[in-house]
Amino acid sequence: MELREPDRDFLRFLWWENEKIQEFRHNQVVFGVTCSPYLLGAVLGYHLSHVPKELKAMANKLQKALYVDNCVTSFSDDNELNEIIVQSIYVLAEANMNLRMWYSSQWSYIPGKLNPADLASRGCTPQQLLRSRWWEGPAFLKGSPEPWPNCEFNVDEESVNSELKKEKVLDLPVKTEVREWFEKFSNISKIIRVLCWVLRFVDNTRKKLKPSSEVLDNLEKKEAEKVLWRMVQRKSFSEKNHSIKKLLVIKDNEGIIRVKTKIIERDDILDFRFPILLPTKHHLTTCLIRQCHLTNCHAGVQIIAAKLRERYWIIAAKQNIRSVVKNCIVRKRFAAKSLTAPPIHLPLDQIRESAVFEITGIDLCGLLFINPKAKVGLFCSLALFIVQYIWIQ
């Protein structure tokens, strides 16, 4: 198989001759390289697919039987075999391929009753299996082929089909959901930083600016946060309506949808008087709630709702906050009930009726340092008690 001129540079090699190193190129495909079997199969497939119509049957049978540079197949009789040999040699000779080393063998069908190898499947005792000498094959194989049984193999299609595994074809609709880029992250601060770098890259590309500082400033983060909320609102809310979920909303000069609260006349910041509207059960909303929960020391629902209300108006906020707080592992660990031992009964000496000083107890503790000169004393207390009176000295 000859190589094209541009492809010959990939098969260069060095040759040492007369104490000089020379560079040569292969003009044909080298036998033994990694891609040789693939190239051979590709060339054979291409050549056999362009044979004349009268040779299509032979080409299809040969193409299915080829394995690298060998062909293994079967034929009904010798006439078909000889015809295929002549046709295949003729076709492949046009590609300068010489088919040779043809070898054929015949096979005959042996009935199960005459085949010792089927003895175990029919059922037999261990003694019968040893006497059968099944590894030697049928006895008639030791003689000439003339007296061999000539049995035709008839297949019962109904019996074969009854044992086939039944297949059921199910038509299931597959719904592929396209995930947003920010769903790869669970931290709202990281999402904003990633968007900051993207916006900086776009801005530098459009204006052809030099690379700026490697540190993100607060103005870039605020701008990225505004872009993020606009993107969320554009996919979650309709821009035509002036009311969303029975809430009066307006759109500010930066295109962010805000809620008109009852305290718009208050002298306060814009976010508190007109909080940003966020959808319920959204990934970014969940990330925002989780960050507020962590920065406020795993606070509860009421505290998180009050903190978020200073800037945002989340639809069904307490339901979303309760879901985030419920899934917090740290809060679960500290909110777990402590292990308590079952109460034990009082000893008999403390509950039975007795005379004064009948039951006494002594408790010792120490050693105790009683002065700077390292003298050691022993403290002893005598406890005298009855049912309702305890005296400790």
Side-chain angles (χ1 to χ4, degrees), residues 137-374:
F140 60 82
L141 292 179
K142 300 178 181 179
S144 59
E146 287 77 13
W148 287 7
N150 186 13
C151 300
E152 296 182 358
F153 183 69
N154 297 324
V155 180
D156 187 1
E157 297 292 343
E158 295 183 0
S159 177
V160 173
N161 294 332
S162 62
E163 297 183 2
L164 291 177
K165 184 179 180 180
K166 297 181 180 180
E167 297 181 357
K168 294 183 180 180
V169 180
L170 300 178
D171 187 10
L172 299 177
V174 179
K175 184 179 180 181
T176 57
E177 297 183 359
V178 180
R179 295 185 59 187
E180 296 288 350
W181 63 269
F182 49 76
E183 294 184 8
K184 300 179 182 179
F185 311 101
S186 60
N187 191 317
I188 189 67
S189 299
K190 187 172 184 178
I191 295 174
I192 294 175
R193 289 197 302 271
V194 171
L195 186 57
C196 278
W197 289 113
V198 174
L199 295 177
R200 177 185 284 188
F201 172 78
V202 173
D203 192 50
N204 293 342
T205 304
R206 289 177 178 176
K207 299 180 181 180
K208 297 182 179 180
L209 301 176
K210 295 181 179 180
S212 55
S213 174
E214 296 182 358
V215 180
L216 297 171
D217 53 29
N218 292 331
L219 293 178
E220 289 180 305
K221 293 181 181 179
K222 290 181 180 180
E223 184 62 29
E225 187 176 357
K226 294 176 183 178
V227 173
L228 193 64
W229 299 141
R230 283 198 299 267
M231 180 175 56
V232 173
Q233 292 176 346
R234 191 181 304 114
K235 294 185 177 181
S236 302
F237 307 124
S238 175
E239 298 182 357
K240 298 180 181 180
N241 300 331
H242 295 285
S243 106
I244 300 175
K245 299 292 183 179
K246 299 181 180 180
L247 296 172
L248 295 178
V249 296
I250 60 171
K251 184 178 290 188
D252 61 8
N253 298 331
E254 296 176 338
I256 299 176
I257 301 176
R258 297 178 178 271
V259 179
K260 294 177 63 177
T261 62
K262 297 181 180 181
I263 58 172
I264 59 177
E265 299 296 335
R266 176 184 170 89
D267 185 14
D268 212 320
I269 60 175
L270 177 65
D271 289 338
F272 188 73
R273 295 183 294 117
F274 295 92
I276 300 174
L277 182 63
L278 296 180
T280 181
K281 296 181 180 179
H282 194 276
H283 180 74
L284 292 177
T285 306
T286 304
C287 294
L288 181 65
I289 296 173
R290 186 184 298 113
Q291 177 172 297
C292 183
H293 176 66
L294 295 177
T295 53
N296 290 277
C297 303
H298 300 274
V301 177
Q302 298 295 336
I303 297 177
I304 298 176
K307 287 289 183 180
L308 292 174
R309 173 57 188 83
E310 295 177 359
R311 291 195 59 194
Y312 309 99
W313 188 290
I314 302 174
I315 298 176
K318 288 191 176 181
Q319 181 180 355
N320 291 351
I321 296 172
R322 194 175 292 110
S323 176
V324 174
V325 172
K326 183 179 179 182
N327 294 327
C328 179
I329 304 300
V330 177
R331 186 176 177 86
K332 283 183 179 180
R333 185 172 73 247
F334 285 99
K337 295 182 179 180
S338 58
L339 297 177
T340 57
I344 61 174
H345 61 275
L346 296 175
L348 179 61
D349 291 340
Q350 294 187 16
I351 60 176
R352 70 179 180 87
E353 296 180 358
S354 59
V356 179
F357 302 127
E358 180 180 351
I359 302 173
T360 61
I362 298 177
D363 188 13
L364 301 176
C365 63
L367 301 172
L368 299 177
F369 293 97
I370 58 177
N371 55 44
K373 295 182 180 180

Side-chain angles (χ1 to χ4, degrees), residues 131-144:
R131 289 195 300 267
S132 66
R133 302 182 66 85
W134 56 271
W135 55 88
E136 296 182 359
F140 60 82
L141 292 179
K142 300 178 181 179
S144 59

Side-chain angles (χ1 to χ4, degrees), residues 108-121:
S108 300
Y109 170 69
I110 302 177
K113 294 181 180 180
L114 301 178
N115 189 0
D118 293 342
L119 187 61
S121 61

